[in-house]
Coordinates of all heavy atoms in Angstrom, one line a residue:
M1 N 2.9 17.3 -15.1 CA 1.8 16.5 -14.7 C 0.9 16.2 -15.9 O 0.6 16.9 -16.8 CB 0.9 17.4 -13.6 CG 1.6 17.5 -12.3 SD 0.6 18.4 -11.1 CE -0.9 17.5 -11.2
V2 N 0.4 14.9 -15.8 CA -0.4 14.3 -16.9 C -1.8 14.3 -16.3 O -2.2 13.4 -15.7 CB 0.1 12.9 -17.3 CG1 -0.9 12.5 -18.5 CG2 1.4 12.9 -17.8
G3 N -2.5 15.4 -16.5 CA -3.8 15.4 -15.8 C -3.8 16.0 -14.4 O -2.7 16.1 -13.7
D4 N -4.9 16.3 -14.0 CA -5.1 17.0 -12.6 C -4.8 16.0 -11.4 O -4.3 16.5 -10.4 CB -6.4 17.7 -12.4 CG -6.7 18.8 -13.4 OD1 -5.7 19.4 -13.8 OD2 -7.8 19.1 -13.6
D5 N -5.0 14.8 -11.7 CA -4.8 13.8 -10.6 C -3.6 13.1 -10.7 O -3.3 12.0 -10.0 CB -6.0 12.8 -10.6 CG -7.4 13.4 -10.4 OD1 -7.5 14.3 -9.6 OD2 -8.4 13.0 -10.9
C6 N -2.6 13.5 -11.6 CA -1.3 13.0 -11.6 C -0.6 13.2 -10.3 O -0.6 14.3 -9.7 CB -0.6 13.6 -12.8 SG 1.1 12.9 -13.0
E7 N 0.2 12.2 -10.0 CA 1.1 12.2 -8.8 C 2.5 12.0 -9.1 O 2.8 11.0 -10.0 CB 0.7 11.3 -7.7 CG -0.6 11.5 -7.2 CD -0.8 12.6 -6.2 OE1 0.2 13.4 -5.9 OE2 -2.0 13.0 -6.0
I8 N 3.5 13.0 -8.8 CA 4.8 13.0 -9.2 C 5.7 13.2 -7.9 O 5.4 14.1 -7.2 CB 5.3 13.9 -10.3 CG1 4.4 13.7 -11.5 CG2 6.8 13.8 -10.7 CD1 4.6 14.7 -12.6
M9 N 6.8 12.4 -7.6 CA 7.7 12.7 -6.5 C 9.0 12.1 -6.8 O 9.2 11.4 -7.7 CB 7.1 12.1 -5.2 CG 7.1 10.5 -5.1 SD 6.6 9.9 -3.5 CE 6.7 8.1 -3.8
I10 N 10.0 12.5 -6.0 CA 11.3 11.9 -5.9 C 11.5 11.7 -4.5 O 11.4 12.3 -3.7 CB 12.4 13.1 -6.3 CG1 12.1 13.5 -7.7 CG2 13.8 12.5 -6.2 CD1 13.1 14.8 -8.1
F11 N 11.8 10.3 -4.3 CA 12.0 9.7 -2.9 C 13.2 8.8 -2.9 O 13.8 8.4 -3.9 CB 10.7 8.9 -2.7 CG 10.5 7.6 -3.3 CD1 10.8 6.5 -2.8 CD2 9.9 7.7 -4.6 CE1 10.5 5.4 -3.6 CE2 9.7 6.5 -5.3 CZ 10.1 5.3 -4.8
G12 N 13.6 8.5 -1.6 CA 14.7 7.5 -1.3 C 14.2 6.2 -1.0 O 13.0 6.0 -0.8
S13 N 15.0 5.2 -0.9 CA 14.8 3.9 -0.7 C 14.2 3.6 0.7 O 13.4 2.7 0.8 CB 16.0 3.0 -0.9 OG 17.0 3.3 0.0
G14 N 14.5 4.5 1.6 CA 13.9 4.5 3.0 C 12.8 5.3 3.1 O 12.3 5.5 4.4
G15 N 12.1 5.7 2.0 CA 10.8 6.5 2.2 C 11.1 7.9 2.4 O 10.1 8.8 2.6
E16 N 12.3 8.5 2.3 CA 12.6 9.9 2.3 C 12.1 10.6 1.1 O 12.2 10.1 0.0 CB 14.1 10.1 2.5 CG 14.8 9.4 3.6 CD 15.3 8.1 3.2 OE1 15.0 7.6 2.0 OE2 16.0 7.3 4.0
L17 N 11.6 11.9 1.3 CA 11.0 12.6 0.3 C 12.0 13.7 -0.1 O 12.4 14.5 0.7 CB 9.6 13.2 0.8 CG 8.8 14.1 -0.2 CD1 8.4 13.1 -1.5 CD2 7.6 14.7 0.3
Y18 N 12.3 13.7 -1.4 CA 13.2 14.8 -1.9 C 12.5 15.8 -2.9 O 13.2 16.7 -3.3 CB 14.4 14.1 -2.6 CG 15.3 13.3 -1.5 CD1 15.0 12.0 -1.3 CD2 16.3 14.1 -0.9 CE1 15.9 11.3 -0.4 CE2 17.1 13.3 -0.1 CZ 16.9 12.0 0.2 OH 17.7 11.4 1.1
G19 N 11.4 15.5 -3.3 CA 10.7 16.4 -4.2 C 9.4 16.0 -4.5 O 8.9 14.9 -4.5
Y20 N 8.4 17.1 -4.7 CA 7.1 16.8 -4.9 C 6.4 17.9 -5.7 O 7.0 19.0 -5.7 CB 6.2 16.7 -3.6 CG 4.8 16.3 -3.8 CD1 4.5 15.2 -4.4 CD2 3.8 17.1 -3.2 CE1 3.1 14.9 -4.5 CE2 2.4 16.7 -3.3 CZ 2.1 15.7 -4.0 OH 0.8 15.2 -4.1
Q21 N 5.4 17.6 -6.5 CA 4.8 18.6 -7.4 C 4.3 19.8 -6.8 O 4.2 20.9 -7.4 CB 3.7 18.0 -8.3 CG 2.6 17.4 -7.4 CD 1.8 16.2 -8.1 OE1 2.4 15.5 -8.7 NE2 0.5 16.2 -7.9
S22 N 3.8 19.7 -5.5 CA 3.3 20.8 -4.7 C 4.1 21.2 -3.5 O 4.3 20.5 -2.6 CB 1.9 20.4 -4.1 OG 1.4 21.4 -3.3
L23 N 4.7 22.4 -3.8 CA 5.8 22.9 -2.7 C 4.9 23.2 -1.4 O 5.6 22.9 -0.3 CB 6.4 24.2 -3.3 CG 7.5 24.8 -2.3 CD1 8.7 23.8 -2.2 CD2 7.9 26.1 -2.8
E24 N 3.7 23.7 -1.5 CA 2.8 23.8 -0.3 C 2.7 22.5 0.6 O 2.9 22.6 1.8 CB 1.6 24.5 -0.6 CG 1.6 25.7 -1.3 CD 2.0 25.8 -2.8 OE1 2.1 24.6 -3.4 OE2 2.3 26.8 -3.3
K25 N 2.4 21.5 -0.1 CA 2.1 20.2 0.7 C 3.5 19.6 1.1 O 3.6 19.0 2.1 CB 1.5 19.2 -0.3 CG 0.1 19.6 -0.6 CD -0.5 18.5 -1.5 CE -2.0 18.8 -1.8 NZ -2.7 17.7 -2.6
L26 N 4.6 19.9 0.3 CA 5.8 19.3 0.7 C 6.4 20.2 2.0 O 6.8 19.6 2.9 CB 6.9 19.6 -0.4 CG 8.4 19.3 -0.1 CD1 8.5 17.8 0.2 CD2 9.3 19.7 -1.3
S27 N 6.1 21.6 2.0 CA 6.4 22.3 3.2 C 5.6 21.8 4.5 O 6.2 21.8 5.5 CB 6.2 23.8 2.8 OG 7.0 24.1 1.7
S28 N 4.5 21.6 4.1 CA 3.6 21.2 5.4 C 3.9 19.8 5.9 O 3.8 19.5 7.0 CB 1.9 21.2 4.9 OG 1.8 20.4 4.0
S29 N 4.5 19.0 4.9 CA 4.9 17.7 5.5 C 6.1 17.7 6.4 O 6.3 16.8 7.1 CB 5.2 16.8 4.3 OG 6.4 17.2 3.6
I30 N 6.8 18.8 6.4 CA 7.8 18.9 7.4 C 7.4 19.0 8.8 O 8.1 18.6 9.9 CB 8.8 20.1 7.0 CG1 9.3 19.9 5.6 CG2 9.9 20.3 7.8 CD1 10.1 21.1 5.0

């Protein structure tokens, strides 16, 4: 991350989420 407000993700063309910097938020999104 570049700074505290940086956002990083891995996603698919249909909006699918495959990775996010916060595992807790990723888990809650399920």
Side-chain angles (χ1 to χ4, degrees):
M1 290 176 59
V2 182
D4 295 336
D5 295 330
C6 176
E7 298 290 349
I8 305 175
M9 70 172 176
I10 300 173
F11 69 99
S13 59
E16 304 88 353
L17 183 63
Y18 289 91
Y20 184 56
Q21 65 206 35
S22 171
L23 184 64
E24 294 78 9
K25 292 182 179 180
L26 175 62
S27 300
S28 63
S29 70
I30 299 176

